[in-house]
Amino acid sequence: MTASPHQLIQFAGTLVVGAAGGVVATFLHLPAPWLLGSMLAVASVGFTKVPLSSPPWLVNVVLPVIGVSLGSGITQETVAGIVKWPVSLGVLLTAVAVSVTASSAFLIRLGGWDRATAFFASVPGALSQVLIYATYTKANMALVTLTQMFRLLMLMLTLPFLVKLFTHLPSAATPALHVSTNWGTSLLEIGAGALIGYPLLKLRFPAALLIGGMVASAIGHLSGLTHGVLPNFIILPSQVAFGAVIGERFRNTDLKLLKLAALPSLGAFSLTLMVMGVAALATAWGVNLPIALVLVAFSPGALEVMAILAFVLGVDPVFVAVHHLVRFVSVSVLVPFVVNRFMK
């Protein structure tokens, strides 16, 4: 469907606001400045009811690019470290179960929410699936959606600073790889990533095009066909666009509902972050992994957002993506059983 001139103006305005936010965040030396700054700027303008929008195809264009960036960090050392992953995956899934239980209990007892709303508001990082499942129950869809969005926003605001605290990284950390000067090869990688991800997208696989880009990049780097990371003139606009897509979700948010949900959501988020943080610290100490890496891998956010954040912050995005993918699949498999119980 062809966009109207009015829609194109809104889209261009959204990207301009996102880029301006990235510039300001860079000037303030914030972690992940182009991603975080773009998200905050677009979300802030969205609360003022200024008409901003991002076309549905934007994410599909950006994700293969970001996936190729993530895959460029796959090395022989990364592959060798996989032997430590089963332990951390087991701890992750246990921590997710504990955090969902604790968050649900908090929202029921202290927030006064019903059980279905509290449960679906507490399930981490699978927003589309959670909303689909929640429609089969009597859950308050507005509260569920707002709480899930609030958690993502709070994660994006807090996680970069926690990672920086534990790693003492500069504000714009990147993997220690040289920048590729072969733009033709880079474009081929992106195209290959889109081709690999497209069938997965049709099967509604989570973050399909991101995974496709990672696979294409990993094959190229491990085989020696490609070298280095994408140049900044490709990576940074992709981060701005993705940040704008996240921020644009807050457009037309009901401020009255936001006030109603803010304190319970903040309490539930804090409880979830505490549970996952303790699990991450214990795992990092137990299997000798960097604390910052495990923190991002255990964070209760969307797969694609956390993987991108891992890349921007300079921790292993493959480790992070695999952990979030396992969590996503586990949630997608188990939540329908809970829905069946609510329906009964």
Side-chain angles (χ1 to χ4, degrees):
M1 182 176 180
T2 305
S4 66
H6 181 66
Q7 290 173 322
L8 291 175
I9 291 173
Q10 287 186 352
F11 174 39
T14 303
L15 293 182
V16 169
V17 170
V23 171
V24 173
T26 301
F27 179 76
L28 295 176
H29 301 289
L30 296 182
W34 294 99
L35 182 65
L36 187 60
S38 176
M39 182 199 72
L40 288 176
V42 173
S44 300
V45 173
F47 279 126
T48 66
K49 307 299 183 182
V50 172
L52 297 178
S53 66
S54 57
W57 50 260
L58 181 60
V59 172
N60 292 340
V61 171
V62 169
L63 285 183
V65 178
I66 297 176
V68 169
S69 300
L70 303 184
S72 62
I74 298 177
T75 64
Q76 296 297 335
E77 291 77 13
T78 302
V79 175
I82 293 177
V83 294
K84 298 180 180 178
W85 293 9
V87 175
S88 57
L89 287 170
V91 176
L92 169 65
L93 295 180
T94 302
V96 167
V98 172
S99 69
V100 170
T101 302
S103 175
S104 299
F106 174 87
L107 291 173
I108 292 169
R109 294 180 180 273
L110 298 180
W113 296 13
D114 63 88
R115 287 191 303 163
T117 302
F119 172 77
F120 289 109
S122 301
V123 176
L127 180 58
S128 299
Q129 282 69 19
V130 166
L131 293 180
I132 290 171
Y133 296 144
T135 58
Y136 292 96
T137 71
K138 295 181 179 180
N140 185 320
M141 297 298 294
L143 278 179
V144 171
T145 304
L146 192 56
T147 305
Q148 291 279 356
M149 291 169 58
F150 180 84
R151 179 171 60 240
L152 177 61
L153 178 63
M154 291 303 297
L155 266 179
M156 292 289 289
L157 290 175
T158 57
L159 194 58
F161 293 96
L162 289 174
V163 171
K164 188 176 180 180
L165 175 67
F166 282 107
T167 60
H168 306 290
L169 290 171
S171 60
T174 54
L177 293 171
H178 70 275
V179 176
S180 174
T181 56
N182 190 334
W183 300 347
T185 302
S186 298
L187 292 176
L188 284 175
E189 277 188 301
I190 295 169
L195 288 175
I196 294 171
Y198 184 75
L200 299 177
L201 183 66
K202 288 299 183 181
L203 294 173
R204 297 188 178 183
F205 196 80
L209 294 172
L210 181 86
I211 300 298
M214 289 180 66
V215 170
S217 183
I219 292 172
H221 282 79
L222 290 174
S223 65
L225 295 175
T226 57
H227 305 277
V229 298
L230 297 177
N232 279 340
F233 75 83
I234 295 178
I235 293 177
L236 296 185
S238 300
Q239 293 178 10
V240 168
F242 194 77
V245 169
I246 298 173
E248 198 261 336
R249 292 179 182 176
F250 292 86
R251 180 168 54 95
N252 298 327
T253 299
D254 188 333
L255 294 181
K256 291 183 179 179
L257 183 64
L258 181 62
K259 292 178 181 179
L260 176 67
L263 285 179
S265 297
L266 180 60
F269 168 77
S270 301
L271 190 59
T272 298
L273 192 62
M274 182 179 67
V275 171
M276 303 308 291
V278 170
L281 290 173
T283 302
W285 176 80
V287 296
N288 193 28
L289 287 169
I291 295 175
L293 172 63
V294 186
L295 275 175
V296 180
F298 279 33
S299 295
L303 186 158
E304 61 272 27
V305 178
M306 293 298 103
I308 293 166
L309 199 57
F311 172 78
V312 175
L313 295 173
V315 298
D316 182 2
V318 181
F319 179 91
V320 172
V322 168
H323 280 68
H324 284 283
L325 181 60
V326 169
R327 174 176 55 77
F328 179 94
V329 172
S330 300
V331 167
S332 299
V333 170
L334 295 176
V335 166
F337 292 99
V338 181
V339 173
N340 185 55
R341 182 175 178 181
F342 279 129
M343 292 177 69
K344 288 181 180 180

